[in-house]
Amino acid sequence: MRASYVIRKLIGAVSTLAFVAVFNFFLFRVVNRNPVDSMFRGRNLTREQLDELTRKFNLDGSKWDQFVAYVRQLLRGDLGLSFRGNRPVVDVIAEALWPTVLLVGTSTLLAMIGITIGYRAGWKRGSRGDTVSTSLSMLTYSMPEFFIGMVMLGIFAASLGWFPVGGLEDPGSTATGLEQLLDQFHHMVLPALVLAIAYVGEYMIVARSAMIETLREDYLQLARAKGMRDDEVRRKHAVPNARLPVVSLSAINFGFVFSGAIAVESIFSWPGLGQATYLAVRGPDLPVLQGLFLLMSATVILANLIADLLYGVLDPRVMGR
Amino acid sequence: MSVLELRDLRVTYRTEGGPVPAVRGVNLTIESGDTVGLAGESGCGKSTIAAAVLRLLPKGTQVEGTVLLNGEDVYAMKPGRLRAVRWTGAAIVFQGALHSLNPVRRVGDQIEEAIRLHRTVTGAAVGARVAELLERVGLQGAHAERYPHQMSGGQRQRVLIALALACEPTLLIADEPTTALDVMVQAQVLALLEELQRERGLSLLFITHDLSVLTSTCRRLAVMYAGRIVEEGPSVDVFARPDHPYSAALAAAFPTIGDSASRMNPQGLAGDPPDPSALPGGCPFHPRCARAVDECATNDVALRVSGPGRRAACVHVKEAADG
Amino acid sequence: MTAAIAWARRRASAAASWRRMRRDRLAMVALGVLLACVVMALIAPLVSDRADFNAINTGDNPTHASPTGQFVLGTDGLGRSMALQVMWGARVSLLVGFAATVLMIGIGTLIGLAAGFFGGWTDAVLMRITDWFMVIPFLPLAIVLAAVLERGLGTIVLVIGITSWPSTARLVRSQVLSVRERLYVDRARALGAGRLHLIGRHILPNVTPLILANTTLAVPIAILTETTLSFLGLGDPSEVSWGGLLERAGSSAVKEGYWWEYLPPGLGIVAVVLAFTIVGRALEEVLDPRLRER
């Protein structure tokens, strides 16, 4: 790997992360001058109580002092206290992390089937298979993921009763081990399918247009002239090139799936980061919302960095010798 | 038996704007071990012929006439047979080596792939064969590990030649193999091709727009204009004393190195090549022809014998006995 | 004089584009769907009054009534007519969609023009910022923005505008760069034309067709974002959009089987977004010669 490329991408990621952190501060302490006031508006608190809360949430002192304190806190991995129940934001998030990793991971893997479909559709552009899969992709692209969720919930859970209507596991369940895992899997099927359906089209369209970009390349003609079969030309010569833009766009897509989880988790009462976001919006619980925003941004920035590095590995022209 | 025989080959591309005839009745025969040059401006149909020989034209393209490769009709072959004939019956040295090699795969891999596909050699011998091929074209065995972007234009063109030789084809088609290269490298690549041709007794179809290149490389020469052959004959004769005004203009367009007269007085060709979808009536060359007469606008002359082993399609050519 | 000729030429090319698009039957159907939705949104105040939704006036209506004679699309939990709400919802969804699109195309065009035209440091800084906004996941960003600002339609428009401009900026910038390369801008500059003149007379007219296609493709994104924000409870509580109707229905309507409370607004969103996407792609194909070849 060429060090300069890696370093450049690392600096890019860190600068984006720094931008997000500063933006976050700006948003919650400058745009919204005193969050505590708006937070507890209409709750009949005395001035003293409000001042007390202001100190507790680190909102006293000059903006600069606040900023320094905020950065110090951030570097320690401390995201402050939730407005509700006096719990550290980190705990609230940590609790919700695993269900989301499970859900987003599963549905991303499922949605990535779209890449293979897209390559094939682009390869046989204008064919019946291409028309059908492109039309379906446009249809799912046009549906808000939570609307897909509502329809699927209505059909497969409420009417047919094949799947539970929500939650991580059956309420009051004492199952452990494999049984517990199966129960959780049963609960995850619908939300994971919903997210996969909502985003499989994005992957498909990205892969399709990347494939179409490579269709005219001379090396495909050479490969055919060598006597390779059509599908071998696709697999061995077209796909390795079409893969490059797909890698970069997959990272952006991952951000979409992550975002889509917010509304879908709230529909299926899936106790992950998405539902935590939903509840924090409803609260509103600004410290939790801030922490979630930082975490989600950091995850997507990391995904982009990984995609950039992978790109370097896949395209010898980037890394060279 | 002829290595390649084209009988009244006609190729028509299907486009949004309607059918575009690119090749309009070409007859061409290449005997075993012979070298034939095919010359003409871009768009005259010469590269279409290269693609037509291996059935590489885009889907929906209409091909009429017959293409016989080693006596076998290419357009009557079943898919499996066609794939077996590709690269072993005829191989192509493509133009523009930067785009013809896959940028994300090592060049050795790309050569090896052809060898394995046709089982020219098998097992551990494949690696040795790749190295041998690379060395034969003036590179080193270690170059197999390189990616195309890590090589110079000349080196890449040599890789393409090694690739074309990988399965020992009976016919080698070189499609503008020197176009993108600078003059010195051009000369080296040409010398290599000539050497390989002599050494292996290859049959060669050499396609270019540069007539002067063909005189040393090829024994016979065919000049194409607007999808047809307008003149053919021994290359030295055609180049020195062209019978068709178009061949004359093409020959004059490239000054002979060392000939100061031609360098001081380059005679370009006026106008642009015609649009294949809207060819002028009569002789398609007449709007650009310095020697055009009234008859040329209406009379499209067929090839006629113009000398010993020579034919040309021009009203000024007086029918002579073929000797 | 030359301006008149230029306008005539542009009109002629617009007419030619329209003719080419007329041949695309699917795009014409989509355009019909869009027109129908716009008409529906426009006549909403003519067939009903907003007061129809006040609890005082709906007290006598049946609640959660399924679609039968009196109410074409049934009623919700407060006895409000779903049909009328869907019509009013179309107003809000389309209005926010259009307004947010104008804002985001405006921001994107300005930044893209500035970056592409001035180049150098301006370009480097603007593109760095654009990259930042490209990478930050835009829904979470929109959520935190909407959460700290006052609730209201204006906020929603602002939030969508601020979060979705980067792709337009990139597109406009690359267009400006390629237009700038062309000879006649150099000629105009050699003749001493000012920067504003260059942008207004030479660059903007050339990038407008692509901006137009981009706009058509941006509206569905804006509508989808508005829907999601409303669904999460960040919308204007007094102006209910299709997304807001879905929020009200929530998963409880789904579990109870009140399909008329969530299917109509949801299908409305799907129809409008799909129609805009189809029209946008057709427009892009007609206006972008590079795509036409494919």
Side-chain angles (χ1 to χ4, degrees):
Chain A
M1 272 198 191
R2 194 174 275 174
S4 66
Y5 176 82
V6 177
I7 290 170
R8 207 170 61 237
K9 291 296 169 192
L10 267 175
I11 291 175
V14 170
S15 87
T16 314
L17 208 53
F19 173 74
V20 169
V22 173
F23 189 78
N24 192 30
F25 174 82
F26 179 82
L27 212 58
F28 286 92
R29 319 273 172 114
V30 181
V31 174
N32 199 327
R33 290 204 158 273
N34 194 346
V36 168
D37 279 354
S38 48
M39 213 59 5
F40 297 96
R41 192 183 301 144
R43 288 213 200 157
N44 263 337
L45 294 180
T46 63
R47 195 67 245 171
E48 287 75 44
Q49 282 171 306
L50 282 177
D51 288 345
E52 163 84 37
L53 282 166
T54 305
R55 258 195 305 286
K56 192 164 132 199
F57 291 110
N58 242 330
L59 296 167
D60 50 350
S62 74
K63 286 286 174 240
W64 177 247
D65 291 343
Q66 284 187 36
F67 182 68
V68 172
Y70 163 81
V71 173
R72 279 220 184 103
Q73 234 188 1
L74 211 55
L75 289 177
R76 280 202 311 269
D78 180 358
L79 294 171
L81 287 175
S82 160
F83 280 164
R84 291 198 311 175
N86 237 338
R87 299 175 59 208
V89 171
V90 175
D91 288 2
V92 176
I93 290 178
E95 204 176 78
L97 198 59
W98 173 240
T100 293
V101 171
L102 196 65
L103 178 65
V104 170
T106 310
S107 40
T108 302
L109 285 180
L110 282 175
M112 279 184 163
I113 294 168
I115 296 177
T116 313
I117 300 172
Y119 287 151
R120 280 160 191 268
W123 186 248
K124 297 255 178 242
R125 183 168 45 120
S127 69
R128 178 178 281 258
D130 177 30
T131 313
V132 169
S133 50
T134 307
S135 310
L136 281 178
S137 297
M138 268 170 77
L139 185 67
T140 59
Y141 168 84
S142 305
M143 294 201 230
E145 54 287 283
F146 53 87
F147 181 58
I148 303 179
M150 290 169 104
V151 173
M152 301 248 303
L153 185 68
I155 298 173
F156 297 107
S159 295
L160 296 173
W162 292 356
F163 297 99
V165 290
L168 178 66
E169 43 193 34
D170 282 339
S173 163
T174 51
T176 50
L178 185 66
E179 214 175 317
Q180 186 190 21
L181 213 63
L182 281 175
D183 185 30
Q184 292 190 354
F185 178 76
H186 194 212
H187 280 75
M188 195 178 67
V189 172
L190 273 187
L193 268 182
V194 167
L195 275 176
I197 290 173
Y199 293 100
V200 72
E202 309 247 11
Y203 281 101
M204 186 261 159
I205 287 178
V206 164
R208 178 181 180 270
S209 54
M211 178 55 88
I212 287 175
E213 284 292 320
T214 64
L215 277 186
R216 287 192 169 185
E217 298 288 353
D218 293 340
Y219 51 75
L220 298 186
Q221 185 80 338
L222 175 63
R224 265 182 221 109
K226 276 184 192 171
M228 296 181 83
R229 278 205 317 271
D230 188 64
D231 61 316
E232 279 180 319
V233 178
R234 188 192 74 233
R235 276 188 295 115
K236 295 186 178 167
H237 286 275
V239 167
N241 282 279
R243 191 147 54 198
L244 302 174
V246 171
V247 165
S248 326
L249 287 163
S250 287
I252 293 176
N253 249 347
F254 175 73
F256 288 153
V257 183
F258 214 16
S259 308
I262 297 174
V264 171
E265 283 187 4
S266 79
I267 292 202
F268 288 95
S269 322
W270 186 258
L273 296 174
Q275 203 190 22
T277 311
Y278 182 76
L279 294 176
V281 166
R282 294 283 157 149
D285 192 341
L286 291 187
V288 171
L289 208 51
Q290 255 182 319
L292 285 165
F293 172 59
L294 279 179
L295 177 72
M296 289 191 187
S297 303
T299 311
V300 174
I301 291 167
L302 187 69
N304 270 283
L305 181 66
I306 292 173
D308 281 338
L309 297 182
L310 195 61
Y311 192 107
V313 173
L314 290 176
D315 189 347
R317 285 165 295 186
V318 172
M319 290 302 191
R321 274 193 201 201
Chain B
M1 186 177 52
S2 312
V3 172
L4 178 71
E5 192 176 343
L6 307 179
R7 285 188 201 150
D8 195 28
L9 179 68
R10 291 165 190 276
V11 179
T12 309
Y13 289 115
R14 298 254 168 261
T15 69
E16 242 179 71
V20 176
V23 176
R24 306 182 302 133
V26 162
N27 290 291
L28 190 74
T29 305
I30 300 177
E31 301 299 336
S32 180
D34 202 357
T35 52
V36 175
L38 197 56
E41 291 165 291
S42 55
C44 74
K46 55 192 196 304
S47 290
T48 301
I49 289 182
V53 170
L54 285 182
R55 247 167 96 175
L56 290 169
L57 294 162
K59 235 188 218 158
T61 307
Q62 194 185 336
V63 180
E64 291 160 292
T66 315
V67 178
L68 297 178
L69 191 60
N70 297 312
E72 212 178 337
D73 185 346
V74 174
Y75 284 81
M77 288 177 186
K78 295 215 169 73
R81 176 67 191 147
L82 177 67
R83 285 197 304 272
V85 163
R86 284 176 174 172
W87 227 243
T88 55
I92 304 178
V93 181
F94 281 90
Q95 60 174 315
L98 181 56
H99 301 291
S100 293
L101 289 169
N102 196 327
V104 302
R105 298 191 46 194
R106 296 176 196 277
V107 297
D109 272 5
Q110 302 187 45
I111 298 175
E112 198 180 307
E113 191 176 61
I115 297 172
R116 289 193 190 279
L117 210 57
H118 295 286
R119 298 194 176 81
T120 316
V121 293
T122 49
V126 176
R129 171 78 175 143
V130 171
E132 177 200 323
L133 282 163
L134 286 171
E135 278 159 24
R136 184 58 202 91
V137 297
L139 298 168
Q140 290 141 29
H143 278 106
E145 294 299 309
R146 299 252 178 116
Y147 287 101
H149 75 278
Q150 294 167 326
M151 309 181 99
S152 70
Q155 286 175 325
R156 281 195 292 260
Q157 198 63 57
R158 285 169 194 270
V159 169
L160 279 183
I161 295 173
L163 184 54
L165 294 174
C167 302
E168 295 176 354
T170 40
L171 172 68
L172 192 66
I173 301 173
D175 186 2
E176 306 248 18
T178 59
T179 309
L181 306 174
D182 62 56
V183 184
M184 289 302 291
V185 183
Q186 247 185 46
Q188 287 167 8
V189 171
L190 278 177
L192 173 65
L193 270 173
E194 283 167 32
E195 209 179 298
L196 287 166
Q197 192 276 324
R198 269 197 300 277
E199 176 188 304
R200 313 195 166 200
L202 281 171
S203 316
L204 180 69
L205 176 62
F206 197 112
I207 297 172
T208 180
H209 63 281
D210 184 347
L211 212 57
S212 62
V213 163
L214 295 174
T215 53
S216 62
T217 318
C218 299
R219 195 184 64 80
R220 284 199 311 129
L221 183 63
V223 178
M224 274 188 87
Y225 190 79
R228 273 192 200 168
I229 292 178
V230 295
E231 174 159 14
E232 60 182 346
S235 51
V236 183
D237 298 350
V238 174
F239 190 68
R241 296 180 307 281
D243 282 328
H244 196 285
Y246 177 65
S247 316
L250 211 56
F254 294 92
T256 321
I257 294 170
D259 177 2
S260 59
S262 71
R263 213 182 61 205
M264 301 312 291
N265 186 21
Q267 290 170 299
L269 189 54
D272 294 321
D275 174 2
S277 60
L279 290 176
C283 169
F285 185 58
H286 84 267
R288 300 168 74 192
C289 184
R291 296 176 63 198
V293 292
D294 288 350
E295 191 192 344
C296 296
T298 51
N299 187 9
D300 193 5
V301 185
L303 277 174
R304 43 175 82 157
V305 176
S306 61
R310 296 185 62 177
R311 298 198 295 167
C314 179
V315 288
H316 297 298
V317 171
K318 296 295 167 254
E319 197 87 35
D322 195 358
Chain C
M1 204 46 210
T2 46
I5 294 170
W7 273 114
R9 203 177 54 220
R10 253 168 236 147
R11 245 202 321 274
S13 92
S17 299
W18 172 241
R19 270 198 306 278
R20 218 175 300 126
M21 196 154 153
R22 281 284 293 272
R23 289 209 300 263
D24 189 340
R25 235 197 262 142
L26 186 63
M28 286 299 114
V29 172
L31 207 57
V33 169
L34 286 184
L35 281 177
C37 285
V38 170
V39 167
M40 185 170 87
L42 286 178
I43 62 168
L46 299 178
V47 296
S48 70
D49 199 294
R50 271 159 95 153
D52 291 351
F53 303 135
N54 284 349
I56 305 163
N57 300 321
T58 59
D60 300 335
N61 293 344
T63 58
H64 294 305
S66 62
T68 43
Q70 196 193 347
F71 295 98
V72 195
L73 286 177
T75 59
D76 66 7
L78 292 175
R80 292 172 291 200
S81 156
M82 280 313 296
L84 291 180
Q85 289 197 85
V86 167
M87 284 181 85
W88 281 91
R91 266 175 100 76
V92 181
S93 285
L94 288 174
L95 183 72
V96 172
F98 286 129
T101 302
V102 169
L103 185 65
M104 91 191 190
I105 297 285
I107 299 176
T109 305
L110 268 180
I111 290 185
L113 270 182
F117 189 77
F118 295 110
W121 273 105
T122 320
D123 186 28
V125 170
L126 287 178
M127 280 305 110
R128 186 73 255 180
I129 295 175
T130 310
D131 279 349
W132 281 336
F133 273 93
M134 281 283 239
V135 175
I136 302 175
F138 103 105
L139 188 64
L141 178 61
I143 290 174
V144 291
L145 264 174
V148 295
L149 298 170
E150 288 291 320
R151 297 282 143 93
L153 287 190
T155 298
I156 294 284
V157 170
L158 187 73
V159 163
I160 299 174
I162 290 178
T163 49
S164 0
W165 55 267
S167 56
T168 309
R170 281 227 179 138
L171 182 80
V172 171
R173 175 178 173 270
S174 70
Q175 277 295 305
V176 171
L177 288 181
S178 79
V179 170
R180 221 174 63 151
E181 290 302 307
R182 281 186 227 158
L183 191 72
Y184 62 91
V185 177
D186 286 340
R187 210 170 56 212
R189 193 182 289 163
L191 291 173
R195 281 183 163 168
L196 273 180
H197 174 85
L198 272 181
I199 292 181
R201 291 301 274 284
H202 295 279
I203 291 180
L204 212 48
N206 275 291
V207 298
T208 304
L210 263 192
I211 295 178
L212 183 68
N214 190 240
T215 307
T216 325
L217 287 171
V219 177
I221 296 174
I223 292 181
L224 281 177
T225 311
E226 190 277 337
T227 306
T228 307
L229 291 177
S230 294
F231 182 76
L232 293 175
L234 291 163
D236 188 331
S238 59
E239 300 276 356
V240 172
S241 69
W242 283 339
L245 289 175
L246 288 178
E247 187 226 347
R248 275 191 197 161
S251 37
S252 60
V254 179
K255 287 170 196 163
E256 300 295 331
Y258 304 142
W259 54 265
W260 56 90
E261 291 179 28
Y262 64 93
L263 277 187
L267 292 177
I269 294 163
V270 175
V272 168
V273 170
L274 193 59
F276 264 113
T277 311
I278 290 170
V279 171
R281 292 182 120 211
L283 211 58
E284 199 175 47
E285 221 158 281
V286 164
L287 295 175
D288 189 342
R290 277 180 308 129
L291 288 175
R292 211 185 300 149
E293 279 176 18
R294 291 202 187 133

